Amino acid sequence: LGILHTNWYDEMQNKAFRISTLYNRKVSSKHTLRAGLIYNNLNYSYFAEQAEADWTLSPVLNSDGSTMLFQGYLQGKYKFTEKVLMTAGLHYAYFHQSRDHSLEPRLGLQIELPKRQKLSFGFGHHSKNENLPVYFVEQQGDDGSLFMPNLDLKMIRSTHYVAGYDLMFGKDMHLKLETYYQGINKLPVPINPEHVWIPSFGGVNPEDTLSNSGRGRNYGLELTLQKFFTEGYYFLATASIFDSKYKPADGQWRNTKYNSNYIFNLVGGKEIRWGKNKMLEFSSRLLWYGGKRLVAIDLEESRAQGETVADWDELFSSKARDYFRIDLGLRLHFYKKRAEHIISLDIQNLTNRLNIWNKYYNPETGSIEDYHMAGIIPILNFRVEF
């Protein structure tokens, strides 16, 4: 018989108090000025224990207190002509936990073209602090004392470039094309080059000491085609092609957890009047995106230990097969004098495709197998609205 052990226990609590103020003034018919201040008081109470090799629990988090994030900004909009609009601003951020501050210029330009077309360009610097528990992870020194190696982590910095094209055509159609690049620096990564898991993926290894030496980059192309609801129907199609990489302490560009490379969505609906007081509504959604990035499994070591053993050297180097799902919704509306009766049938994953959530080692077969998500899910509902 196996014995159940606790390998992790935590109690995490966050509270925040926020004050913001905004000043807006129309200086002239062409010029608008906006300024503001935002104060965030962040209170926290964290306790977490992790099991050692002998299954005894050792604390990795035990902190109570508060810190502060202060932001200020100044923004101006100026119309050079009726068709050219520029937005320029300056943003300031100060994170008290690490005594870190950042001054961030931002700029946007919008140009209207003939035949309901529009071009837009944007540039800006941005900063963001890590999730608070990351700062308070505890480690034990050689003399047995506890210390927090990540207390002074700086904010993550990023630089954004965006260019877009908009077109309105027909009575109710909208096309938008946008391309972007995001360069990231001061990304917290483990100082040990053999460790490549970063807090941005969720959680942190308590044994890791972090530094702001990592980098990241995201770039891609997004397309949106929308028909607004007219003549009883609508649809929205979106496509996104992108690449997401980061560079930890080993100096190699690696796939991030989120680098599925492409996402496609198609949503639509149709309403059909049925007599004087009835309506039939159809809606559907198609979702297709590149497979989820996976942590590789060391098959030999898994067989030796009889359980799943991750190969951290191959973190997110492989993907599951593509995710694909079709949802279908049918709704019948009955309009009464005092209420509306609605009978609906929603079918999620209409084709019963077994998409992959993860992979694991099966000791009974001695092989790596897929852990599937849910198949088809029908939901029947009746509702009365007064």
Side-chain angles (χ1 to χ4, degrees):
L1 293 175
I3 299 176
L4 293 176
H5 294 279
T6 300
N7 55 26
W8 182 269
Y9 173 80
D10 64 51
E11 294 180 8
M12 315 284 277
Q13 187 177 85
N14 289 299
K15 296 180 181 178
F17 174 74
R18 179 180 180 184
I19 300 175
S20 64
T21 182
L22 168 67
Y23 172 78
N24 191 77
R25 181 180 179 186
K26 189 172 184 178
V27 181
S28 68
S29 60
K30 293 185 175 182
H31 186 201
T32 303
L33 184 66
R34 174 175 291 188
L37 300 173
I38 304 171
Y39 171 81
N40 285 281
N41 184 267
L42 308 172
N43 292 273
Y44 55 86
S45 177
Y46 302 141
F47 178 77
E49 293 178 313
Q50 178 178 260
E52 302 290 349
D54 61 356
W55 298 108
T56 59
L57 294 174
S58 296
V60 295
L61 277 174
N62 189 13
S63 293
D64 292 272
S66 65
T67 187
M68 178 268 288
L69 175 64
F70 172 80
Q71 299 171 82
Y73 60 91
L74 177 65
Q75 174 186 297
K77 288 186 178 182
Y78 188 81
K79 274 191 174 184
F80 290 97
T81 69
E82 287 300 317
K83 298 185 180 300
V84 180
L85 173 66
M86 184 182 74
T87 303
L90 200 59
H91 184 273
Y92 174 78
Y94 172 74
F95 183 51
H96 185 68
Q97 175 58 44
S98 54
R99 307 297 195 275
D100 187 24
H101 62 91
S102 175
L103 191 61
E104 303 155 1
R106 298 171 186 178
L107 181 68
L109 183 65
Q110 181 178 292
I111 304 171
E112 291 189 21
L113 302 175
K115 298 182 180 180
R116 303 165 73 192
Q117 301 177 88
K118 187 188 300 180
L119 292 177
S120 58
F121 305 92
F123 160 82
H125 289 288
H126 300 262
S127 61
K128 179 182 180 298
N129 59 281
E130 259 298 351
N131 291 324
L132 285 181
V134 173
Y135 295 89
F136 305 111
V137 169
E138 295 182 347
Q139 293 184 9
Q140 192 172 45
D142 294 336
D143 60 356
S145 62
L146 296 176
F147 67 100
M148 300 178 186
N150 304 326
L151 273 178
D152 298 324
L153 284 175
K154 305 298 182 184
M155 292 185 290
I156 304 169
R157 307 299 206 273
S158 64
T159 304
H160 296 215
Y161 303 90
V162 182
Y165 169 77
D166 277 77
L167 171 65
M168 295 292 298
F169 61 99
K171 296 185 299 181
D172 50 13
M173 298 293 291
H174 177 220
L175 174 69
K176 183 175 182 180
L177 182 66
E178 187 173 88
T179 183
Y180 63 89
Y181 177 86
Q182 179 190 32
I184 301 171
N185 56 65
K186 294 193 176 181
L187 182 68
V189 297
I191 61 174
N192 184 345
E194 295 182 359
H195 293 187
V196 294
W197 185 275
I198 62 176
S200 297
F201 300 155
V204 61
N205 185 346
E207 299 176 1
D208 285 336
T209 297
L210 304 176
S211 72
N212 291 101
S213 59
R215 295 175 57 195
R217 66 186 184 207
N218 301 301
Y219 57 89
L221 180 69
E222 295 186 352
L223 174 69
T224 301
L225 178 63
Q226 181 177 10
K227 181 194 178 297
F228 301 106
F229 184 79
T230 58
E231 301 175 348
Y233 75 100
Y234 70 94
F235 68 79
L236 173 67
T238 63
S240 180
I241 303 171
F242 57 92
D243 189 64
S244 179
K245 295 278 199 308
Y246 77 107
K247 184 191 285 188
D250 66 359
Q252 299 182 38
W253 284 104
R254 296 173 174 268
N255 291 299
T256 71
K257 178 181 181 180
Y258 316 102
N259 197 22
S260 60
N261 297 125
Y262 49 86
I263 300 175
F264 302 102
N265 272 290
L266 178 61
V267 180
K270 171 70 174 175
E271 291 183 355
I272 302 173
R273 286 289 175 179
W274 181 15
K276 292 183 178 180
N277 62 349
K278 294 184 286 293
M279 182 180 72
L280 186 60
E281 178 186 350
F282 298 89
S283 63
S284 184
R285 178 189 182 195
L286 182 150
L287 175 60
W288 173 27
Y289 62 78
K292 181 181 178 182
R293 288 283 169 179
L294 302 173
V295 179
I297 295 175
D298 187 328
L299 182 56
E300 279 191 29
E301 193 63 27
S302 296
R303 284 172 174 167
Q305 297 191 26
E307 61 182 6
T308 303
V309 177
D311 183 357
W312 296 104
D313 291 334
E314 298 297 324
L315 182 67
F316 305 136
S317 61
S318 63
K319 297 198 297 182
R321 71 167 183 263
D322 285 4
Y323 181 99
F324 182 82
R325 196 178 99 191
I326 297 177
D327 298 338
L328 178 66
L330 302 172
R331 288 175 178 80
L332 186 57
H333 301 255
F334 296 91
Y335 300 100
K336 304 293 185 181
K337 187 175 181 179
R338 298 178 179 272
E340 177 185 357
H341 298 236
I342 304 170
I343 301 173
S344 64
L345 174 62
D346 291 297
I347 305 175
Q348 298 178 12
N349 197 3
L350 181 66
T351 62
N352 196 34
R353 180 181 172 89
L354 296 178
N355 292 297
I356 298 173
W357 173 253
N358 214 333
K359 291 181 178 288
Y360 68 99
Y361 171 72
N362 187 341
E364 294 183 0
T365 62
S367 60
I368 297 172
E369 299 182 5
D370 297 331
Y371 184 85
H372 294 108
M373 302 183 195
I376 186 171
I377 303 176
I379 302 172
L380 183 63
N381 182 63
F382 174 72
R383 186 170 77 245
V384 178
E385 295 184 358
F386 296 95

